[in-house]
Amino acid sequence: MNFIEEVIDITVVSGTTGTVEPNVATDKDDSTVVGCVIYCDDLSANPAMINASIQVGGQDVSKPQNIQNYRSREAGYDKGFKPVKPFTSGKPVRFEIRSIAEFTDTFRAQLILIKVPNNPSC
């Protein structure tokens, strides 16, 4: 299966409890988002649990949960990403990283959307 990737960068500033990218435009490439992974730098930037969530059109496609659940699993690429409720690419995405404690250092992450072409013969 052919996959298309789209990368969304996010930065959480030290001294805050998180951040929201409220209206990230996704590529209009005639594809469907079926999963994601989140890669981040050092988790020690926050002493508490760090959660991430993804919404499209006000609906959760991935509910708030520990950011480590979004890591790439030890499996082949087609099975290694975290599944999400599928949605058509081109819709704005709300991506949030949050914790109950303030971040003690700047925290950087990348949300990588995993997409499949709607017309696989192209």
Side-chain angles (χ1 to χ4, degrees), residues 6-10 21 24-26 93 95 109-113:
E6 185 169 347
V7 180
I8 299 169
D9 293 314
I10 191 166
E21 293 294 331
V24 179
T26 56
V93 170
F95 177 38
Q110 288 184 321
L111 167 65
I112 302 171
L113 299 176

Side-chain angles (χ1 to χ4, degrees), residues 10-11 14 25 36 38 44 93 99 101 109:
I10 191 166
T11 300
S14 176
C36 69
I38 297 175
S44 68
V93 170
S99 180

Side-chain angles (χ1 to χ4, degrees), residues 13-64:
V13 179
S14 176
T16 66
T17 58
T19 192
V20 175
E21 293 294 331
N23 200 20
V24 179
T26 56
D27 294 340
K28 294 180 181 178
D29 57 8
D30 194 30
S31 66
T32 298
V33 177
V34 295
C36 69
V37 291
I38 297 175
Y39 291 100
C40 55
D41 56 8
D42 192 6
L43 292 174
S44 68
N46 192 301
M49 185 181 304
I50 301 170
N51 290 319
S53 64
I54 306 166
Q55 288 186 339
V56 174
Q59 301 293 314
D60 288 328
V61 295
S62 187
K63 295 185 181 288

Side-chain angles (χ1 to χ4, degrees), residues 48-83:
M49 185 181 304
I50 301 170
N51 290 319
S53 64
I54 306 166
Q55 288 186 339
V56 174
Q59 301 293 314
D60 288 328
V61 295
S62 187
K63 295 185 181 288
Q65 57 198 274
N66 189 300
I67 199 166
Q68 293 181 77
N69 192 40
Y70 289 93
R71 77 196 182 292
S72 179
R73 284 123 173 99
E74 302 299 323
Y77 192 76
D78 62 337
K79 294 183 177 30
F81 56 79
K82 180 184 182 315

